[in-house]
Amino acid sequence: MEAESPASAGVTEPQALGALGRIGNLLSRIRGKLFTWDILKTIALGQMLSLCICGTAITSQYLAEKYRVNTPMLQSFISYCLLLLVYTVMLAFRSGSDNLLEILRRKWWKYTLLGLADVEANYLIVRAYQYTTLTSVQLLDCFGIPVLMALSWFILRARYKVIHFIAVFVCLLGVGTMVGADILAGREDNSGSDVLIGDILVLLGASLYAVSNVCEEYIVKKLSRQEFLGMVGLFGTIISGVQLLIVEYKDIAKIHWDWKIALLFVAFALCMFCLYSFMPLVIKVTSATSVNLGILTADLYSLFFGLFLFGYKFSGLYILSFTVIMVGFILYCSTPTRTAEPAESSVPPVTSIGIDNLGLKLEESGLSETHSAAL
């Protein structure tokens, strides 16, 4: 029995080659869209921020487990002091409207609210670990992403496409995989003293993080990175210093200081300083939402280091979780969001000649008036 030829099957050889060529072109376009230099640079910057967060988590865990030091507000206070000494001092030596005193005179109350949101976001997330479980913190902390997208929609006028919502869903799926790996690896051994209070603290902290990130994106893109960091350093130092004296003075008095504890405090402060310094650079070229999706891998880096430092059990789901989060992050960055134009109700709508033709007609009328004046 003879084999059926492509021509007798209804598909000629040129048609088959054309189909293969179209598939190859499609794959080439997809590869060119997902793996551009800008996306690769964004991925690298996002993972650098994740490593900074990983450094803060590891140093905090060392202080808590090995030296019984639980002073999150003191650690934050030192970090804000570094920002104050560098960026606030830079603003003090500026001239004109960018000077520190001029900024304080015009916008002191706005930056007070921003500093309060930033300080309390850090404090509430850390404090939640005392009441609820690691799984709850990891899952509920993702609540900040939809809050951030909603705030960006209304405040920054960001407009999303379907691919962005799919990408966020994929990233959250990766977080769920990571939590499942934690449970299977036996890391969920703390039931918490009051789970409801802890969950509420996580939700509040995540929401305040979203508020802080939206304000950061607005200030960095509209004003300057130095102004944001200088004002956060100034008001963060004041607010965290006052709160430190109220809630942690007994814990600080119990610390038996030595060079190892001091070194861990310095390492934590340097990691936070790098995180605060580099995050505005990444937000300026991307957005606050994409940055928050990129740093979802920070917990995974902490887990990988914990395999060697704290004896964590390894699970292949960690690798799967990292891969899923990165796929979602790349999908989100592959299509830029757009910014909606503000409504201009005072200007009558142009319906017949269009904006471009309107500009040409205005230019022509201006030229004719000039010509008449010359005559």
Side-chain angles (χ1 to χ4, degrees), residues 38-109:
D38 290 336
I39 292 179
L40 294 176
K41 182 173 64 174
T42 303
I43 293 173
L45 292 173
Q47 299 318 293
M48 182 179 65
L49 297 179
S50 289
L51 289 174
C52 291
I53 298 175
C54 172
T56 62
I58 290 175
T59 51
S60 296
Q61 190 164 353
Y62 248 113
L63 286 170
E65 292 188 0
K66 191 169 184 179
Y67 299 102
R68 298 294 184 265
V69 175
N70 292 288
T71 55
M73 192 53 65
L74 175 60
Q75 295 166 236
S76 297
F77 175 75
I78 298 173
S79 304
Y80 288 122
C81 285
L82 286 179
L83 295 176
L84 171 70
L85 293 174
V86 176
Y87 296 104
T88 310
V89 172
M90 289 173 59
L91 292 179
F93 285 98
R94 282 186 170 185
S95 59
S97 61
D98 293 334
N99 180 262
L100 175 63
L101 296 178
E102 184 64 22
I103 294 173
L104 289 175
R105 186 183 67 82
R106 292 182 288 112
K107 296 176 283 189
W108 65 270
W109 64 272

Side-chain angles (χ1 to χ4, degrees), residues 8 65 95 149 156 197-198 223 230 234 251 276 279 286 324 363:
S8 62
E65 292 188 0
S95 59
M149 295 180 72
L156 303 178
I197 292 178
L223 301 174
L234 175 61
D251 295 326
Y276 273 92
M279 184 174 283
T286 57
V324 172
E363 185 178 357

